[in-house]
Amino acid sequence: METSGHKVDKYYIKKVDADKKSIYCHHDLMGELLVPTHKHDKAQMLYAEGDVVFVTTETKSYFLPARHFIWIPSGIEHSIHPKSENVMMRNLYFPTDKDEDSFYKSEGIYPVNNLLLQMMLFTNQWNGDLKKGSPNFVIAKAIKAILPQICLTNLPLELPLPKDARLGKILRHIENNLGETILFADVAHEFGYSERSLYRLFQKDLSMSFIQYYTIRRILKAIELLLDRKLSVKEVAQEVGYSSVPTFSNTFFKMLGQRPSEYLSGEDILKKR
């Protein structure tokens, strides 16, 4: 894809499925701030470097931080919104095989370990179709094969999209006040609900509680702020409404498996070639 202002190569519509048996490879700077809703016959492994990418399916909004990848199964409609044009995207599109491991049938976000990182780095110069039987095809196939064995934790970096317009207003209120401590009782009162009825609305529409939604949203915002590299861990904690850094750090660790300080010190390894 070329930078914004130029005609963008819609490879994801025209080229990915052109050869049904190939593994299609595409590495590039994002260059545009929206890849509109589309789907492929092939499954997609999207690795992001440099900033956050928002991936939206029919039911969920996924939040893909740098140094993670999302697996999108075959036939799932999705749109891609990078936070900035500086996101480096590395895509491998795989044909589906019969009797595949259940791993490949579900959407999910996973951290990239050193082994996978080195394998992705090896694909750095590839672009376009990797023909079945070619050495590069075999290597890419190995990347796919290793995923169920090393990607054991599907990170909860997604939020369901509300169907109820009333709930949409409440979620926007949460979004706009992440720097404050938001109490469930106060939200219920402000929007004219009993706590019981609002609890039911969250469970019915989002299949999660207010506190689950609120916690995930705060940590997702924290990841964005950490990636901006402008604030300290303590300042990031305060920006998302945590007065206690240890509490923030523990919550962050439960979701991502690493501390905010570890995340902050990570480097963008896969730069533009």
Side-chain angles (χ1 to χ4, degrees), residues 25-38:
C25 180
H26 188 89
H27 301 305
D28 211 344
L29 276 173
M30 193 63 207
E32 59 180 336
L33 291 180
L34 171 65
V35 174
T37 302
H38 65 287

PDB file of all heavy atoms in Angstrom, residues 25-38:
ATOM      1  N   CYS A  25       1.439 -13.109   1.168  1.00  0.00           N
ATOM      2  CA  CYS A  25       2.244 -12.365   2.140  1.00  0.00           C
ATOM      3  C   CYS A  25       2.228 -10.883   1.777  1.00  0.00           C
ATOM      4  O   CYS A  25       2.383 -10.523   0.607  1.00  0.00           O
ATOM      5  CB  CYS A  25       3.673 -12.919   2.086  1.00  0.00           C
ATOM      6  SG  CYS A  25       4.818 -12.115   3.210  1.00  0.00           S
ATOM      7  N   HIS A  26       2.019 -10.033   2.768  1.00  0.00           N
ATOM      8  CA  HIS A  26       2.057  -8.586   2.516  1.00  0.00           C
ATOM      9  C   HIS A  26       2.604  -7.853   3.740  1.00  0.00           C
ATOM     10  O   HIS A  26       2.036  -7.917   4.818  1.00  0.00           O
ATOM     11  CB  HIS A  26       0.660  -8.054   2.193  1.00  0.00           C
ATOM     12  CG  HIS A  26       0.671  -6.622   1.748  1.00  0.00           C
ATOM     13  ND1 HIS A  26       0.810  -6.254   0.429  1.00  0.00           N
ATOM     14  CD2 HIS A  26       0.597  -5.472   2.444  1.00  0.00           C
ATOM     15  CE1 HIS A  26       0.815  -4.927   0.336  1.00  0.00           C
ATOM     16  NE2 HIS A  26       0.684  -4.431   1.550  1.00  0.00           N
ATOM     17  N   HIS A  27       3.737  -7.182   3.544  1.00  0.00           N
ATOM     18  CA  HIS A  27       4.335  -6.357   4.598  1.00  0.00           C
ATOM     19  C   HIS A  27       4.349  -4.916   4.105  1.00  0.00           C
ATOM     20  O   HIS A  27       4.821  -4.656   3.004  1.00  0.00           O
ATOM     21  CB  HIS A  27       5.803  -6.723   4.852  1.00  0.00           C
ATOM     22  CG  HIS A  27       6.024  -8.137   5.253  1.00  0.00           C
ATOM     23  ND1 HIS A  27       5.390  -8.726   6.322  1.00  0.00           N
ATOM     24  CD2 HIS A  27       6.841  -9.093   4.746  1.00  0.00           C
ATOM     25  CE1 HIS A  27       5.808  -9.969   6.443  1.00  0.00           C
ATOM     26  NE2 HIS A  27       6.685 -10.221   5.500  1.00  0.00           N
ATOM     27  N   ASP A  28       3.884  -3.994   4.918  1.00  0.00           N
ATOM     28  CA  ASP A  28       4.014  -2.592   4.511  1.00  0.00           C
ATOM     29  C   ASP A  28       3.603  -1.672   5.653  1.00  0.00           C
ATOM     30  O   ASP A  28       2.907  -2.081   6.573  1.00  0.00           O
ATOM     31  CB  ASP A  28       3.130  -2.286   3.300  1.00  0.00           C
ATOM     32  CG  ASP A  28       3.737  -1.200   2.408  1.00  0.00           C
ATOM     33  OD1 ASP A  28       4.658  -0.500   2.879  1.00  0.00           O
ATOM     34  OD2 ASP A  28       3.305  -1.059   1.262  1.00  0.00           O
ATOM     35  N   LEU A  29       4.057  -0.417   5.529  1.00  0.00           N
ATOM     36  CA  LEU A  29       3.482   0.616   6.383  1.00  0.00           C
ATOM     37  C   LEU A  29       2.010   0.719   6.038  1.00  0.00           C
ATOM     38  O   LEU A  29       1.621   0.525   4.884  1.00  0.00           O
ATOM     39  CB  LEU A  29       4.163   1.965   6.126  1.00  0.00           C
ATOM     40  CG  LEU A  29       5.474   2.214   6.868  1.00  0.00           C
ATOM     41  CD1 LEU A  29       6.088   3.514   6.374  1.00  0.00           C
ATOM     42  CD2 LEU A  29       5.251   2.289   8.368  1.00  0.00           C
ATOM     43  N   MET A  30       1.193   1.046   7.011  1.00  0.00           N
ATOM     44  CA  MET A  30      -0.245   1.055   6.801  1.00  0.00           C
ATOM     45  C   MET A  30      -0.642   1.998   5.667  1.00  0.00           C
ATOM     46  O   MET A  30      -1.318   1.617   4.738  1.00  0.00           O
ATOM     47  CB  MET A  30      -0.914   1.476   8.109  1.00  0.00           C
ATOM     48  CG  MET A  30      -2.383   1.245   8.137  1.00  0.00           C
ATOM     49  SD  MET A  30      -2.806  -0.482   8.015  1.00  0.00           S
ATOM     50  CE  MET A  30      -4.416  -0.337   7.264  1.00  0.00           C
ATOM     51  N   GLY A  31      -0.210   3.246   5.778  1.00  0.00           N
ATOM     52  CA  GLY A  31      -0.426   4.186   4.679  1.00  0.00           C
ATOM     53  C   GLY A  31      -1.834   4.733   4.555  1.00  0.00           C
ATOM     54  O   GLY A  31      -2.074   5.675   3.829  1.00  0.00           O
ATOM     55  N   GLU A  32      -2.795   4.127   5.234  1.00  0.00           N
ATOM     56  CA  GLU A  32      -4.163   4.657   5.220  1.00  0.00           C
ATOM     57  C   GLU A  32      -4.801   4.330   6.561  1.00  0.00           C
ATOM     58  O   GLU A  32      -4.381   3.405   7.248  1.00  0.00           O
ATOM     59  CB  GLU A  32      -4.979   4.066   4.069  1.00  0.00           C
ATOM     60  CG  GLU A  32      -5.107   2.559   4.098  1.00  0.00           C
ATOM     61  CD  GLU A  32      -5.928   2.009   2.945  1.00  0.00           C
ATOM     62  OE1 GLU A  32      -6.759   2.752   2.398  1.00  0.00           O
ATOM     63  OE2 GLU A  32      -5.746   0.833   2.604  1.00  0.00           O
ATOM     64  N   LEU A  33      -5.786   5.111   6.925  1.00  0.00           N
ATOM     65  CA  LEU A  33      -6.346   4.985   8.266  1.00  0.00           C
ATOM     66  C   LEU A  33      -7.624   4.155   8.315  1.00  0.00           C
ATOM     67  O   LEU A  33      -8.313   4.141   9.313  1.00  0.00           O
ATOM     68  CB  LEU A  33      -6.582   6.365   8.865  1.00  0.00           C
ATOM     69  CG  LEU A  33      -5.281   7.108   9.183  1.00  0.00           C
ATOM     70  CD1 LEU A  33      -5.561   8.470   9.770  1.00  0.00           C
ATOM     71  CD2 LEU A  33      -4.411   6.303  10.138  1.00  0.00           C
ATOM     72  N   LEU A  34      -7.938   3.472   7.227  1.00  0.00           N
ATOM     73  CA  LEU A  34      -9.083   2.563   7.251  1.00  0.00           C
ATOM     74  C   LEU A  34      -8.979   1.567   6.112  1.00  0.00           C
ATOM     75  O   LEU A  34      -8.828   1.947   4.959  1.00  0.00           O
ATOM     76  CB  LEU A  34     -10.402   3.339   7.117  1.00  0.00           C
ATOM     77  CG  LEU A  34     -11.651   2.465   6.915  1.00  0.00           C
ATOM     78  CD1 LEU A  34     -11.912   1.599   8.129  1.00  0.00           C
ATOM     79  CD2 LEU A  34     -12.868   3.327   6.601  1.00  0.00           C
ATOM     80  N   VAL A  35      -9.019   0.305   6.456  1.00  0.00           N
ATOM     81  CA  VAL A  35      -9.267  -0.742   5.459  1.00  0.00           C
ATOM     82  C   VAL A  35     -10.718  -1.138   5.670  1.00  0.00           C
ATOM     83  O   VAL A  35     -11.066  -1.703   6.713  1.00  0.00           O
ATOM     84  CB  VAL A  35      -8.331  -1.957   5.650  1.00  0.00           C
ATOM     85  CG1 VAL A  35      -8.719  -3.074   4.698  1.00  0.00           C
ATOM     86  CG2 VAL A  35      -6.880  -1.553   5.428  1.00  0.00           C
ATOM     87  N   PRO A  36     -11.614  -0.794   4.714  1.00  0.00           N
ATOM     88  CA  PRO A  36     -13.043  -1.002   4.952  1.00  0.00           C
ATOM     89  C   PRO A  36     -13.415  -2.477   5.084  1.00  0.00           C
ATOM     90  O   PRO A  36     -12.615  -3.369   4.776  1.00  0.00           O
ATOM     91  CB  PRO A  36     -13.701  -0.366   3.724  1.00  0.00           C
ATOM     92  CG  PRO A  36     -12.637  -0.252   2.699  1.00  0.00           C
ATOM     93  CD  PRO A  36     -11.336  -0.184   3.414  1.00  0.00           C
ATOM     94  N   THR A  37     -14.642  -2.722   5.520  1.00  0.00           N
ATOM     95  CA  THR A  37     -15.107  -4.079   5.790  1.00  0.00           C
ATOM     96  C   THR A  37     -14.958  -4.975   4.564  1.00  0.00           C
ATOM     97  O   THR A  37     -15.379  -4.613   3.461  1.00  0.00           O
ATOM     98  CB  THR A  37     -16.578  -4.042   6.237  1.00  0.00           C
ATOM     99  OG1 THR A  37     -16.673  -3.214   7.397  1.00  0.00           O
ATOM    100  CG2 THR A  37     -17.083  -5.429   6.593  1.00  0.00           C
ATOM    101  N   HIS A  38     -14.330  -6.119   4.773  1.00  0.00           N
ATOM    102  CA  HIS A  38     -14.108  -7.091   3.703  1.00  0.00           C
ATOM    103  C   HIS A  38     -13.875  -8.456   4.339  1.00  0.00           C
ATOM    104  O   HIS A  38     -13.776  -8.570   5.557  1.00  0.00           O
ATOM    105  CB  HIS A  38     -12.891  -6.680   2.854  1.00  0.00           C
ATOM    106  CG  HIS A  38     -11.609  -6.711   3.619  1.00  0.00           C
ATOM    107  ND1 HIS A  38     -11.282  -5.770   4.584  1.00  0.00           N
ATOM    108  CD2 HIS A  38     -10.569  -7.597   3.612  1.00  0.00           C
ATOM    109  CE1 HIS A  38     -10.105  -6.062   5.108  1.00  0.00           C
ATOM    110  NE2 HIS A  38      -9.654  -7.178   4.543  1.00  0.00           N
TER     111      HIS A  38
END
